[in-house]
Amino acid sequence: MEAGGFRLVVDEPAAVGGTGLGPMPTDLLLASLSSCYALALAWAAKKRGLELPDLEVTATGSYAGQKFGALVLTVRTSLPAEHVEPLLEPAKRVCYVSNTFAHVPEVEVALAAPAPGP
């Protein structure tokens, strides 16, 4: 697939019929959430004159049928907790991906017209 001008390999594990050559779509979804939140957290810190050394944000999801029932973001940095804690909610408010989960948009599926032949 292509995203933002970059080619990405998206796959499924061999155990379920894929080749295992790339992350699953759900892995990309969690990566989108954690990376967007990390950028939002860095933005919130910079607004307050802080830096977040060695910032690491991970997202984990627990399945509830064919969807995630819960998503958890875990933030790690060596900046003391008393400086990071006040940044968590402001970052969540400006994170596009977490806002999308908070206010789920309707998903519409449309079939495109066939490409013209040679």
Side-chain angles (χ1 to χ4, degrees), residues 12-106:
E12 294 281 345
V16 294
T19 62
L21 295 176
M24 298 185 307
T26 50
D27 292 336
L28 292 175
L29 186 74
L30 294 172
S32 293
L33 176 59
S34 61
S35 61
C36 188
Y37 187 77
L39 292 170
L41 196 55
W43 172 84
K46 187 174 182 178
K47 270 191 84 154
R48 290 159 181 80
L50 298 170
E51 287 189 26
L52 295 170
D54 58 1
L55 174 64
E56 182 182 317
V57 177
T58 56
T60 53
S62 55
Y63 288 108
Q66 291 185 325
K67 66 178 184 124
F68 284 119
L71 298 167
V72 176
L73 288 167
T74 304
V75 176
R76 289 181 182 82
T77 180
S78 58
L79 191 68
E82 63 267 14
H83 295 294
V84 180
E85 187 74 37
L87 306 173
L88 299 180
E89 227 14 75
K92 189 175 171 189
R93 282 195 305 270
V94 299
C95 172
Y96 281 75
V97 178
S98 62
N99 277 316
T100 300
F101 284 118
H103 309 285
V104 180
E106 184 177 328

